[in-house]
Amino acid sequence: MPRIAKFDRDKALEDAVRLFWERGYSGTSMKHIEKALDMRPGSLYATFGNKDGLFREALDIYTGRMSQSMTEALEAAPTVMDGLFGYLRALSEEITAPDSPARACLVVKTLLEVTHEQEELRGLVNRRLRAVEDHLTGLLEQARDQGELKPGVDSRRLARLVQAQIMGLRSLAQRDIDADSVKILTEDIIIALGAFTRDPATH
C-alpha cells in the first residue's frame, strides 16, 4: 500500500507567504492557492478556514520575519542606530536578491489594494504597521537615552520617518531599477538619518 505523504503545515504557510507576496491579496484566487499549496478546497478550508484565515497566518510569518531581521541586525551592532543602519543595508540586499518573490513589502502592498469595504483586513494591516512604528519608537527612545541621538529628537516622529524610508525603499525597488542603485539609495537614506545622531560621521 503506497505511503501517504504527511501534510506539512509549515511548508504550506511558506508557500502562501510567497504566493501572496508575489501576487498580492486581491490578485490571489483560491485556484492560485490550491495550486501553490497543492491542496484541495476541502483540505484548505478545514486547515485555514478561508482565504482570509490563510492570509492572516501568512502575514504573521512575514511580519515576524521582518522583526527577526531587525533584531539580528541590532544584536550584531554596537549601538541602536548602527543596528538600524545595518538593518537597512541588509534589507537592500534582501529585496534585490534574484530569488526574492517581490521587492515591495507585502504589508504595504496589501494596504494599498484593500478597499474601505474590507475594513477588517485594512484594520489588520494598519495594526501591523502601527506595531512596527511602536517598535521603532521604543528603539529610538533607547538610542536617545543612551546619547546616540541629538537632544530634543522626537522618537515617535523619527520612527515614522524611518518607517517611511523603509516603505519607500521597498516600493522604489519594485521599479525596473538595478540592485546597485537601490544600495546607493540605501546609503543616501542612512546619511540623511545620520543627521539626527550626535556624530553622523561615525556611521
Side-chain angles (χ1 to χ4, degrees), residues 99-168:
D99 61 345
S100 178
R103 293 182 172 187
C105 175
L106 171 60
V107 185
V108 177
K109 286 175 70 172
T110 307
L111 180 67
L112 294 175
E113 71 180 48
V114 295
T115 67
H116 289 290
E117 285 72 33
Q118 296 170 294
E119 278 299 327
E120 188 174 353
L121 182 57
R122 191 176 187 85
L124 172 65
V125 176
N126 270 299
R127 287 193 296 276
R128 293 290 188 276
L129 290 172
R130 179 58 188 246
V132 173
E133 180 189 314
D134 290 343
H135 183 56
L136 286 170
T137 300
L139 291 173
L140 293 169
E141 285 175 352
Q142 180 184 339
R144 185 184 59 197
D145 293 344
Q146 293 173 351
E148 298 177 45
L149 299 178
K150 291 178 179 179
V153 169
D154 184 329
S155 58
R156 174 69 64 177
R157 184 174 176 179
L158 182 56
R160 287 174 180 157
L161 177 60
V162 173
Q163 187 175 40
Q165 296 294 340
I166 293 171
M167 292 165 67

Side-chain angles (χ1 to χ4, degrees), residues 16-74:
V17 170
R18 189 174 189 90
L19 178 63
F20 283 120
W21 196 3
E22 286 177 343
R23 303 189 64 90
Y25 175 83
S26 297
T28 301
S29 67
M30 286 305 297
K31 288 294 183 184
H32 292 136
I33 294 171
E34 290 167 23
K35 182 177 180 181
L37 276 61
D38 192 22
M39 293 177 70
R40 295 188 178 185
S43 298
L44 273 169
Y45 286 112
T47 306
F48 300 108
N50 53 24
K51 175 181 170 180
D52 282 2
L54 175 61
F55 179 77
R56 284 172 180 275
E57 292 199 45
L59 191 64
D60 283 342
I61 291 174
Y62 179 87
T63 54
R65 195 168 294 155
M66 290 171 58
S67 297
Q68 181 62 30
S69 295
M70 187 174 292
T71 298
E72 290 173 357
L74 289 163

